[in-house]
Every structure is written in C-alpha cells, then in structure tokens.
Coordinates of all heavy atoms in Angstrom, one line a residue:
M1407 N 99.8 99.2 96.6 CA 100.3 99.3 95.3 C 99.8 100.5 94.5 O 98.6 100.5 94.3 CB 99.9 98.0 94.6 CG 100.6 97.7 93.3 SD 102.3 97.2 93.6 CE 102.1 96.1 95.0
R1408 N 100.6 101.4 94.2 CA 100.2 102.6 93.5 C 99.9 102.4 92.0 O 100.7 101.8 91.3 CB 101.2 103.7 93.7 CG 100.8 105.0 93.1 CD 101.8 106.1 93.4 NE 103.2 105.7 93.2 CZ 103.8 105.7 91.9 NH1 103.1 106.1 90.9 NH2 105.0 105.3 91.8
V1409 N 98.7 102.8 91.6 CA 98.3 102.7 90.2 C 98.0 104.1 89.7 O 97.1 104.8 90.3 CB 97.1 101.7 90.0 CG1 96.7 101.6 88.5 CG2 97.4 100.4 90.5
D1410 N 98.6 104.5 88.6 CA 98.4 105.8 88.0 C 98.0 105.6 86.6 O 98.8 105.2 85.7 CB 99.8 106.6 88.1 CG 99.7 108.0 87.5 OD1 98.6 108.4 87.2 OD2 100.7 108.6 87.5
I1411 N 96.7 105.9 86.3 CA 96.2 105.7 85.0 C 95.9 107.1 84.4 O 95.2 107.9 85.1 CB 94.9 104.9 85.0 CG1 95.2 103.5 85.5 CG2 94.3 104.8 83.6 CD1 94.0 102.6 85.6
E1412 N 96.5 107.4 83.3 CA 96.5 108.7 82.7 C 95.0 109.2 82.6 O 94.1 108.5 82.1 CB 97.1 108.7 81.3 CG 97.8 109.9 80.8 CD 98.5 109.7 79.5 OE1 97.8 109.6 78.5 OE2 99.7 109.5 79.5
G1413 N 94.8 110.4 83.2 CA 93.5 111.0 83.1 C 92.6 110.7 84.3 O 91.4 111.2 84.4
Y1414 N 93.1 109.9 85.3 CA 92.3 109.5 86.4 C 93.1 109.7 87.7 O 94.4 109.6 87.6 CB 91.8 108.0 86.3 CG 91.0 107.8 85.1 CD1 91.5 107.4 83.9 CD2 89.6 108.1 85.2 CE1 90.7 107.2 82.8 CE2 88.8 107.9 84.1 CZ 89.4 107.4 82.9 OH 88.6 107.3 81.8
P1415 N 92.5 109.9 88.8 CA 93.3 110.1 90.1 C 94.1 108.8 90.4 O 93.6 107.7 90.1 CB 92.2 110.3 91.1 CG 91.0 110.7 90.4 CD 91.0 110.0 89.0
T1416 N 95.3 109.0 90.9 CA 96.1 107.8 91.3 C 95.4 107.1 92.5 O 94.7 107.7 93.3 CB 97.5 108.3 91.8 OG1 98.1 109.0 90.7 CG2 98.3 107.2 92.2
F1417 N 95.5 105.8 92.5 CA 94.8 105.0 93.6 C 95.7 103.9 94.0 O 96.7 103.6 93.4 CB 93.4 104.5 93.1 CG 93.5 103.6 92.0 CD1 93.5 102.2 92.2 CD2 93.4 104.0 90.7 CE1 93.5 101.3 91.1 CE2 93.4 103.1 89.6 CZ 93.5 101.8 89.8
E1418 N 95.4 103.4 95.2 CA 96.1 102.2 95.8 C 95.3 101.0 95.5 O 94.1 100.9 95.6 CB 96.3 102.4 97.3 CG 97.2 103.5 97.7 CD 98.7 103.2 97.3 OE1 99.1 102.0 97.4 OE2 99.4 104.1 96.8
A1419 N 96.0 99.9 95.0 CA 95.3 98.6 94.7 C 96.0 97.5 95.5 O 97.2 97.6 95.9 CB 95.4 98.4 93.2
E1420 N 95.3 96.4 95.7 CA 95.8 95.3 96.4 C 96.8 94.6 95.6 O 96.5 94.3 94.4 CB 94.6 94.4 96.7 CG 94.9 93.4 97.9 CD 93.6 92.7 98.3 OE1 92.6 93.4 98.5 OE2 93.7 91.5 98.4
E1421 N 98.0 94.2 96.1 CA 99.0 93.5 95.4 C 98.4 92.1 95.0 O 97.7 91.4 95.8 CB 100.2 93.3 96.3 CG 101.3 92.5 95.5 CD 102.6 92.5 96.3 OE1 102.7 93.1 97.4 OE2 103.5 91.9 95.8
G1422 N 98.7 91.7 93.8 CA 98.2 90.5 93.2 C 96.8 90.5 92.5 O 96.4 89.6 91.9
S1423 N 96.1 91.6 92.7 CA 94.9 91.8 92.0 C 95.2 92.1 90.5 O 96.2 92.6 90.2 CB 94.0 92.9 92.6 OG 94.6 94.1 92.4
T1424 N 94.2 91.7 89.6 CA 94.4 92.1 88.2 C 94.2 93.6 88.1 O 93.5 94.2 89.0 CB 93.5 91.4 87.3 OG1 92.1 91.8 87.5 CG2 93.6 89.9 87.4
L1425 N 94.7 94.2 87.1 CA 94.4 95.6 86.9 C 92.9 95.9 86.7 O 92.4 96.9 87.1 CB 95.2 96.1 85.7 CG 95.1 97.6 85.4 CD1 95.5 98.5 86.6 CD2 95.8 98.0 84.2
L1426 N 92.3 95.0 86.0 CA 90.8 95.1 85.8 C 90.1 95.1 87.2 O 89.2 96.0 87.4 CB 90.3 94.0 84.9 CG 88.7 94.0 84.7 CD1 88.2 95.3 84.1 CD2 88.3 92.8 83.9
E1427 N 90.4 94.2 88.0 CA 89.8 94.2 89.4 C 90.1 95.5 90.1 O 89.2 96.0 90.8 CB 90.4 93.0 90.2 CG 89.9 91.6 89.7 CD 90.7 90.5 90.2 OE1 91.8 90.7 90.8 OE2 90.3 89.3 90.1
A1428 N 91.3 95.9 90.0 CA 91.7 97.2 90.7 C 91.0 98.4 90.2 O 90.5 99.2 91.0 CB 93.2 97.4 90.6
C1429 N 90.8 98.4 88.9 CA 90.1 99.6 88.3 C 88.6 99.5 88.7 O 88.0 100.6 89.0 CB 90.2 99.5 86.8 SG 91.8 100.0 86.1
E1430 N 88.0 98.3 88.7 CA 86.6 98.2 89.1 C 86.5 98.7 90.6 O 85.5 99.4 90.9 CB 86.1 96.8 89.0 CG 85.9 96.4 87.5 CD 85.6 94.9 87.3 OE1 85.8 94.1 88.2 OE2 85.1 94.6 86.2
A1431 N 87.4 98.3 91.4 CA 87.3 98.7 92.9 C 87.5 100.2 93.0 O 86.9 100.8 93.9 CB 88.4 97.9 93.7
A1432 N 88.3 100.8 92.1 CA 88.7 102.2 92.3 C 87.7 103.1 91.5 O 87.8 104.4 91.5 CB 90.1 102.5 91.8
G1433 N 86.8 102.5 90.7 CA 85.9 103.4 89.9 C 86.4 103.9 88.6 O 85.9 104.8 88.0
V1434 N 87.5 103.3 88.2 CA 88.1 103.7 86.9 C 87.4 102.9 85.8 O 87.3 101.7 85.9 CB 89.6 103.4 86.8 CG1 90.2 103.7 85.4 CG2 90.3 104.3 87.8
P1435 N 86.8 103.6 84.8 CA 86.0 102.9 83.8 C 86.7 102.1 82.8 O 86.7 102.4 81.6 CB 85.2 104.0 83.2 CG 86.1 105.2 83.2 CD 86.9 105.0 84.5
M1436 N 87.4 101.0 83.2 CA 88.0 100.1 82.2 C 86.9 99.2 81.7 O 86.2 98.5 82.5 CB 89.1 99.3 82.9 CG 89.7 98.2 82.0 SD 91.1 97.3 82.8 CE 92.4 98.5 82.5
D1437 N 86.8 99.1 80.4 CA 85.7 98.2 79.8 C 86.2 96.8 79.9 O 87.4 96.5 79.9 CB 85.5 98.6 78.3 CG 84.7 99.9 78.2 OD1 84.0 100.3 79.1 OD2 84.9 100.6 77.1
S1438 N 85.2 95.9 79.9 CA 85.6 94.5 80.0 C 84.4 93.7 79.3 O 83.7 92.9 80.0 CB 85.7 94.0 81.5 OG 84.6 94.3 82.2
A1439 N 84.4 93.8 78.0 CA 83.3 93.2 77.3 C 83.2 91.7 77.4 O 82.1 91.2 77.4 CB 83.4 93.6 75.8
C1440 N 84.3 91.0 77.6 CA 84.3 89.6 77.7 C 84.2 89.1 79.2 O 84.2 87.9 79.5 CB 85.4 89.0 77.0 SG 87.0 89.2 77.9
G1441 N 84.2 90.1 80.1 CA 84.2 89.7 81.5 C 85.5 89.3 82.1 O 85.6 88.8 83.2
G1442 N 86.6 89.6 81.4 CA 87.9 89.4 82.0 C 88.5 88.0 81.6 O 89.3 87.5 82.3
F1443 N 88.1 87.5 80.5 CA 88.5 86.2 80.0 C 89.5 86.2 78.8 O 89.6 85.3 78.1 CB 87.3 85.3 79.7 CG 86.6 84.9 81.0 CD1 85.4 85.6 81.3 CD2 87.0 84.0 81.8 CE1 84.7 85.3 82.5 CE2 86.4 83.6 83.0 CZ 85.2 84.3 83.3
A1444 N 90.1 87.3 78.6 CA 91.1 87.5 77.5 C 90.5 87.1 76.2 O 91.1 86.5 75.3 CB 92.3 86.6 77.7
A1445 N 89.2 87.6 76.0 CA 88.5 87.3 74.7 C 88.1 88.5 74.0 O 87.4 88.4 73.0 CB 87.3 86.4 75.0
C1446 N 88.5 89.7 74.4 CA 88.2 90.9 73.7 C 89.4 91.8 73.9 O 90.4 91.3 74.5 CB 86.9 91.6 74.3 SG 87.1 92.3 75.9
N1447 N 89.4 93.0 73.5 CA 90.5 93.9 73.8 C 90.1 95.2 74.4 O 90.8 96.2 74.3 CB 91.5 94.1 72.6 CG 90.8 94.7 71.4 OD1 89.6 95.0 71.5 ND2 91.5 94.8 70.4
S1448 N 88.9 95.1 75.0 CA 88.4 96.4 75.6 C 89.1 96.8 76.9 O 89.0 98.0 77.3 CB 86.9 96.3 75.8 OG 86.6 95.2 76.7
C1449 N 89.8 95.9 77.5 CA 90.6 96.3 78.7 C 92.0 96.6 78.4 O 92.8 96.7 79.3 CB 90.5 95.1 79.7 SG 91.4 93.7 79.2
R1450 N 92.4 96.7 77.1 CA 93.8 96.9 76.8 C 94.3 98.2 77.3 O 93.6 99.2 77.3 CB 93.9 96.9 75.2 CG 95.3 96.7 74.8 CD 95.4 96.5 73.3 NE 94.9 97.7 72.6 CZ 94.7 97.8 71.3 NH1 94.9 96.7 70.5 NH2 94.3 98.9 70.7
I1451 N 95.6 98.2 77.7 CA 96.3 99.4 78.2 C 97.6 99.5 77.4 O 98.1 98.6 76.9 CB 96.6 99.3 79.7 CG1 97.5 98.1 80.0 CG2 95.3 99.3 80.5 CD1 98.1 98.2 81.4
T1452 N 98.2 100.7 77.5 CA 99.6 101.0 77.1 C 100.3 101.2 78.4 O 99.9 102.1 79.2 CB 99.7 102.2 76.2 OG1 99.1 101.8 74.9 CG2 101.2 102.5 76.0
V1453 N 101.3 100.4 78.7 CA 102.1 100.6 79.9 C 103.1 101.7 79.7 O 103.9 101.7 78.7 CB 102.8 99.3 80.3 CG1 103.7 99.4 81.5 CG2 101.8 98.2 80.4
L1454 N 103.1 102.7 80.6 CA 104.1 103.8 80.6 C 105.3 103.6 81.5 O 106.4 104.0 81.2 CB 103.3 105.1 80.9 CG 102.1 105.4 80.0 CD1 101.4 106.6 80.5 CD2 102.6 105.6 78.5
E1455 N 105.0 103.0 82.7 CA 106.1 102.7 83.6 C 105.7 101.4 84.4 O 104.5 101.3 84.8 CB 106.3 103.8 84.6 CG 107.1 105.0 84.1 CD 107.2 106.1 85.1 OE1 107.2 105.8 86.4 OE2 107.2 107.3 84.7
G1456 N 106.6 100.5 84.7 CA 106.4 99.4 85.5 C 106.2 98.1 84.8 O 105.8 97.1 85.3
A1457 N 106.5 98.1 83.5 CA 106.2 96.9 82.7 C 107.0 95.7 83.2 O 106.6 94.6 83.1 CB 106.6 97.2 81.2
E1458 N 108.3 95.9 83.7 CA 109.1 94.8 84.1 C 108.5 94.0 85.2 O 108.8 92.8 85.3 CB 110.5 95.4 84.5 CG 110.6 96.3 85.6 CD 110.1 97.7 85.4 OE1 109.9 98.1 84.2 OE2 109.8 98.4 86.3
A1459 N 107.7 94.6 86.0 CA 107.1 93.8 87.1 C 105.8 93.0 86.7 O 105.3 92.3 87.5 CB 106.7 94.8 88.2
L1460 N 105.4 93.2 85.5 CA 104.2 92.5 85.0 C 104.4 91.1 84.5 O 103.5 90.4 84.3 CB 103.5 93.4 84.0 CG 103.0 94.8 84.4 CD1 102.5 95.5 83.2 CD2 102.0 94.7 85.5
G1461 N 105.7 90.8 84.3 CA 106.0 89.5 83.7 C 105.8 89.5 82.2 O 105.3 90.5 81.6
P1462 N 106.1 88.4 81.6 CA 106.0 88.3 80.1 C 104.5 88.3 79.7 O 103.6 87.9 80.4 CB 106.6 86.9 79.8 CG 106.5 86.1 81.1 CD 106.5 87.1 82.2
V1463 N 104.3 88.7 78.4 CA 103.0 88.7 77.8 C 102.5 87.3 77.7 O 103.3 86.4 77.3 CB 103.1 89.3 76.4 CG1 101.8 89.2 75.6 CG2 103.5 90.8 76.5
L1464 N 101.3 87.1 78.1 CA 100.7 85.7 78.0 C 100.3 85.4 76.6 O 99.9 86.3 75.9 CB 99.5 85.6 79.0 CG 99.8 86.0 80.5 CD1 98.5 85.9 81.3 CD2 100.8 85.0 81.0
E1465 N 100.3 84.1 76.3 CA 99.9 83.7 75.0 C 98.4 84.2 74.7 O 98.1 84.6 73.5 CB 99.9 82.2 74.9 CG 99.7 81.6 73.5 CD 99.9 80.1 73.4 OE1 100.5 79.5 74.3 OE2 99.3 79.5 72.5
E1466 N 97.6 84.2 75.7 CA 96.2 84.6 75.5 C 96.1 86.1 75.1 O 95.1 86.5 74.5 CB 95.4 84.4 76.8 CG 95.3 83.0 77.3 CD 96.4 82.6 78.2 OE1 97.6 83.0 78.0 OE2 96.1 81.8 79.1
E1467 N 97.1 86.9 75.4 CA 97.0 88.3 75.1 C 97.5 88.6 73.7 O 97.1 89.6 73.1 CB 98.0 89.1 76.1 CG 97.6 89.0 77.5 CD 98.6 89.8 78.4 OE1 99.6 89.1 78.8 OE2 98.4 91.0 78.5
T1468 N 98.4 87.8 73.2 CA 99.1 88.2 72.0 C 98.3 88.7 70.8 O 98.6 89.6 70.1 CB 100.1 87.1 71.5 OG1 99.3 85.9 71.3 CG2 101.2 86.9 72.5
C1469 N 97.2 88.0 70.5 CA 96.4 88.4 69.3 C 95.7 89.7 69.5 O 95.1 90.2 68.5 CB 95.5 87.3 68.9 SG 94.2 86.9 70.1
F1470 N 95.7 90.3 70.7 CA 94.9 91.5 70.9 C 95.9 92.7 71.1 O 95.4 93.9 71.2 CB 94.1 91.5 72.2 CG 93.1 90.4 72.2 CD1 93.1 89.3 72.9 CD2 92.0 90.5 71.3 CE1 92.2 88.3 72.9 CE2 91.0 89.5 71.2 CZ 91.1 88.4 72.0
L1471 N 97.2 92.5 71.0 CA 98.2 93.6 71.2 C 98.7 94.0 69.9 O 99.2 93.2 69.1 CB 99.3 93.1 72.1 CG 98.8 92.4 73.5 CD1 100.0 92.0 74.3 CD2 97.9 93.4 74.2
D1472 N 98.8 95.4 69.7 CA 99.3 95.9 68.5 C 100.7 96.5 68.6 O 101.3 96.9 67.7 CB 98.4 97.1 68.0 CG 97.0 96.6 67.6 OD1 96.9 95.4 67.2 OD2 96.1 97.4 67.7
A1473 N 101.2 96.6 69.9 CA 102.4 97.2 70.2 C 103.1 96.5 71.4 O 102.4 96.0 72.2 CB 102.3 98.7 70.5
P1474 N 104.4 96.6 71.5 CA 105.1 95.8 72.5 C 104.8 96.3 73.9 O 105.0 95.6 74.9 CB 106.6 96.0 72.2 CG 106.7 96.9 71.1 CD 105.3 97.2 70.5
D1475 N 104.3 97.6 74.1 CA 104.0 98.1 75.4 C 102.6 98.0 75.8 O 102.2 98.5 76.8 CB 104.5 99.6 75.5 CG 103.9 100.5 74.4 OD1 103.2 99.9 73.5 OD2 104.2 101.7 74.5
Q1476 N 101.8 97.2 75.0 CA 100.4 97.0 75.4 C 100.2 95.7 76.2 O 101.0 94.8 76.0 CB 99.5 97.0 74.1 CG 99.4 98.3 73.4 CD 98.6 98.1 72.1 OE1 98.5 97.1 71.5 NE2 98.0 99.2 71.7
R1477 N 99.2 95.7 77.0 CA 98.8 94.5 77.8 C 97.3 94.5 78.0 O 96.7 95.5 77.8 CB 99.5 94.5 79.2 CG 101.0 94.5 79.2 CD 101.6 93.3 78.6 NE 101.2 92.0 79.2 CZ 102.0 91.4 80.2 NH1 103.1 91.9 80.6 NH2 101.6 90.2 80.7
L1478 N 96.8 93.4 78.4 CA 95.4 93.3 78.7 C 95.2 93.5 80.2 O 95.8 92.7 81.0 CB 94.8 92.0 78.3 CG 94.7 91.7 76.8 CD1 94.0 90.3 76.5 CD2 94.0 92.8 76.0
G1479 N 94.4 94.4 80.6 CA 94.2 94.7 82.0 C 93.6 93.6 82.8 O 93.9 93.5 84.0
C1480 N 92.9 92.7 82.2 CA 92.3 91.6 82.9 C 93.3 90.4 83.1 O 93.0 89.5 83.9 CB 91.1 91.1 82.2 SG 91.4 90.3 80.6
Q1481 N 94.5 90.5 82.5 CA 95.4 89.4 82.6 C 96.7 89.7 83.4 O 97.4 88.8 83.7 CB 95.8 89.0 81.1 CG 94.7 88.4 80.3 CD 94.0 87.3 81.0 OE1 94.6 86.2 81.3 NE2 92.7 87.4 81.2
I1482 N 96.9 91.0 83.6 CA 98.1 91.4 84.4 C 97.8 91.5 85.8 O 96.8 92.1 86.2 CB 98.8 92.7 83.8 CG1 97.8 93.8 83.8 CG2 99.3 92.4 82.4 CD1 98.4 95.1 83.4
R1483 N 98.7 91.1 86.7 CA 98.6 91.2 88.1 C 99.6 92.2 88.7 O 100.7 92.2 88.2 CB 98.8 89.8 88.8 CG 97.6 88.9 88.4 CD 97.5 87.7 89.3 NE 96.4 86.9 88.9 CZ 95.1 87.1 89.3 NH1 94.9 88.0 90.2 NH2 94.1 86.3 88.9
L1484 N 99.1 93.0 89.6 CA 99.9 94.1 90.1 C 100.9 93.6 91.1 O 100.5 93.0 92.1 CB 98.9 95.1 90.7 CG 98.0 95.8 89.7 CD1 96.9 96.5 90.4 CD2 98.7 96.6 88.7
R1485 N 102.1 93.8 90.9 CA 103.2 93.4 91.8 C 104.1 94.6 92.2 O 105.0 94.5 93.0 CB 104.1 92.4 91.1 CG 103.3 91.2 90.6 CD 103.2 90.1 91.6 NE 102.5 89.0 91.0 CZ 101.5 88.3 91.7 NH1 101.1 88.7 92.9 NH2 100.9 87.3 91.1
A1486 N 103.9 95.7 91.5 CA 104.7 96.9 91.7 C 103.9 98.1 91.2 O 103.0 97.9 90.4 CB 106.1 96.8 91.0
P1487 N 104.3 99.3 91.5 CA 103.6 100.5 91.0 C 103.5 100.4 89.5 O 104.5 100.0 88.8 CB 104.4 101.7 91.5 CG 105.1 101.1 92.7 CD 105.4 99.7 92.4
L1488 N 102.4 100.9 89.0 CA 102.2 100.9 87.5 C 101.6 102.2 87.1 O 100.8 102.8 87.7 CB 101.1 99.8 87.2 CG 100.7 99.7 85.8 CD1 101.8 99.2 84.9 CD2 99.5 98.7 85.6
R1489 N 102.2 102.7 85.9 CA 101.6 103.9 85.3 C 101.3 103.5 83.9 O 102.1 102.8 83.2 CB 102.7 105.0 85.3 CG 102.1 106.4 84.9 CD 103.1 107.5 85.3 NE 104.1 107.6 84.3 CZ 104.0 108.2 83.2 NH1 102.9 108.8 82.8 NH2 105.0 108.3 82.3
C1490 N 100.0 103.8 83.4 CA 99.6 103.4 82.1 C 98.5 104.3 81.6 O 98.1 105.2 82.3 CB 99.1 101.9 82.2 SG 97.6 101.7 83.3
R1491 N 98.0 104.0 80.4 CA 96.9 104.7 79.9 C 95.9 103.7 79.3 O 96.4 102.6 78.8 CB 97.3 105.7 78.8 CG 97.2 105.3 77.4 CD 97.4 106.5 76.4 NE 98.6 107.2 76.6 CZ 99.7 106.9 75.9 NH1 99.7 106.0 75.0 NH2 100.8 107.6 76.1
L1492 N 94.6 103.9 79.4 CA 93.6 103.0 78.8 C 93.8 103.1 77.3 O 93.9 104.2 76.7 CB 92.2 103.4 79.2 CG 91.9 103.4 80.7 CD1 90.4 103.8 81.0 CD2 92.2 102.1 81.3
D1493 N 93.8 102.0 76.6 CA 94.0 101.9 75.2 C 93.2 100.8 74.6 O 93.7 99.9 73.9 CB 95.5 101.7 75.0 CG 95.9 101.9 73.5 OD1 95.1 102.4 72.7 OD2 97.1 101.5 73.2
P1494 N 91.9 100.9 74.8 CA 91.0 99.8 74.3 C 91.1 99.6 72.8 O 91.2 100.6 72.1 CB 89.6 100.2 74.8 CG 89.7 101.7 74.9 CD 91.1 102.0 75.3
G1495 N 91.0 98.4 72.3 CA 90.9 98.1 70.9 C 89.4 98.3 70.4 O 88.5 98.5 71.3
C1496 N 89.2 98.3 69.1 CA 87.9 98.5 68.7 C 87.4 97.3 67.9 O 88.1 96.3 67.8 CB 87.8 99.7 67.8 SG 89.0 99.8 66.5
Ligands
LIG959 S1 88.1 92.1 79.5 FE1 88.1 91.2 77.6 S2 90.2 90.8 77.2 FE2 90.2 91.7 79.1

C-alpha cells in the first residue's frame, strides 16, 4: 500500500494498518500525544488523494477536525494508496 506524505519519502505500508502505525514503522514523525486513542489531534492529517477508500469520518474524530478533508491518522486504516500532509492541531 503506497503512502505519500508531503515532505517525506513515499513508503509501502501494510494494508489494514492505521496510518499512525504505518508512519511509526516507516520513521515518519507523526505525533501521537494520546497514544492513538482519538483523544488529541496531534496525528491529524489533510488528505490530498485517496479519501474515498478511508471510509466515513468516525464519531470519535469529529471534534478534532476543522475541515472536511482532515482525518486522524490513528483512526484511519489503509485500504488503498494515500497521499496526505501532516496537519497536527495545537
Ligand atoms: S494520536 Fe491522539 S488522536 Fe490520534
């Protein structure tokens, strides 16, 4: 599963892994202040391509998203190639 994060080398990730897990495995510095429990927004991303394969926004994500193309990296599972940029909240 190809993952392209703006500013970092493209890498291959295991299908079904969360984006946070994939970033940790690939050495991309996605923050995860809450440890991946949808309780912060440090893993937030803006999706540039591949949003349709991520499924609908989960209720747990909604209070952390400021725009319709944002998702939480710890909550989305990779099912298709994804292009995005890190967009952590503060
Ligand atoms: S790591 Fe905290 S919401 Fe994803």
Side-chain angles (χ1 to χ4, degrees):
M1407 195 70 44
R1408 183 174 47 79
V1409 179
D1410 182 3
I1411 299 181
E1412 213 172 73
Y1414 298 94
T1416 300
F1417 62 91
E1418 290 293 321
E1420 200 170 311
E1421 182 170 357
S1423 64
T1424 67
L1425 181 59
L1426 176 60
E1427 292 165 344
C1429 284
E1430 287 173 344
V1434 174
M1436 172 177 277
D1437 287 336
S1438 56
C1440 73
F1443 292 100
C1446 69
N1447 59 3
S1448 58
C1449 69
R1450 195 174 65 186
I1451 61 164
T1452 292
V1453 178
L1454 302 174
E1455 282 176 33
E1458 61 285 344
L1460 298 175
V1463 171
L1464 303 176
E1465 189 178 337
E1466 297 89 324
E1467 295 178 271
T1468 53
C1469 63
F1470 299 111
L1471 308 180
D1472 296 331
D1475 54 354
Q1476 292 178 334
R1477 299 297 300 264
L1478 294 182
C1480 68
Q1481 298 301 304
I1482 55 174
R1483 294 198 177 271
L1484 298 168
R1485 307 270 181 227
L1488 176 68
R1489 194 165 76 82
C1490 64
R1491 97 168 59 91
L1492 301 182
D1493 191 10
C1496 48

